[in-house]
Amino acid sequence: MKLDPVFTVKENKLYKIADNSPVDPNSLRRVEIPWTTVEMEEESYNEEFLALLRDQLKGMEAAGIFAILVPLVDKPLETPEQIELFTKAFNHTARRVKDCVSVAGFELPKELKDTQSFIDTIAIKHAQYVYFSKQSDLASDTIVKY
C-alpha cells in the first residue's frame, strides 16, 4: 500500500499539495521514537510498541494532525554496522505505520552522518515522506523532499 504524498518542498519551504498552502513545520507534532525502544536486540523489533505507535498516529490522522517521526539515537551510531542497524530499525518502523496518512516524514538525527542512505532505504516503499534536519542546534530547519 503506497500513500500519495500530502506535502512537498519548494526552496526549503513545506507546502500542502492539495492547495499549495505553506505549512509551518513547527505546526507538525514531533513523535520521538527511541532506537532502543524499536530495536530491543539486534534486528529484533518491539512489535507491541510499534502497534501502539500506529494507533497513536491513526488517532492523530482522525483529528487532522500531522506528525514528524523523530528517531532518537540512544546507543552508539558510529560504525557502518550500527548505521545499518539504525536504518533497518526505522525502515521497519516505517513499514509498521505505512498506512498512517498523518506521518509527514522523518527528522534526520544529527548523529546520522549518512542521511542519504537512510532516505534512500525508506523511500523505496515510502516515497511520500519529507525529511527534516538541522545543520546545528542553532541553525534553521532544512527540509528535503526526496
Side-chain angles (χ1 to χ4, degrees), residues 23-37:
V23 177
D24 178 0
N26 294 318
S27 70
L28 305 176
R29 184 166 298 159
R30 292 170 41 92
V31 178
E32 295 184 343
I33 307 169
W35 180 12
T36 56
T37 302

Side-chain angles (χ1 to χ4, degrees), residues 9 24 93 102 113 119-120 129:
V9 177
D24 178 0
T93 300
S102 62
K113 303 303 180 216
I119 292 169
D120 290 346
Y129 290 154

Side-chain angles (χ1 to χ4, degrees), residues 4-67:
D4 291 328
V6 175
F7 300 98
T8 191
V9 177
K10 300 175 198 166
E11 298 177 7
N12 200 40
K13 292 187 178 14
L14 188 64
Y15 294 87
K16 204 165 195 181
I17 292 173
D19 60 4
N20 203 35
S21 61
V23 177
D24 178 0
N26 294 318
S27 70
L28 305 176
R29 184 166 298 159
R30 292 170 41 92
V31 178
E32 295 184 343
I33 307 169
W35 180 12
T36 56
T37 302
V38 172
E39 185 183 53
M40 300 174 301
E41 295 178 27
E42 198 169 296
E43 294 191 61
S44 175
Y45 305 115
N46 186 342
E47 298 299 339
E48 183 177 340
F49 169 78
L50 294 172
L52 291 171
L53 174 63
R54 182 185 176 281
D55 291 345
Q56 176 186 3
L57 293 168
K58 282 298 198 179
M60 292 171 65
E61 182 178 316
I65 299 169
F66 290 95

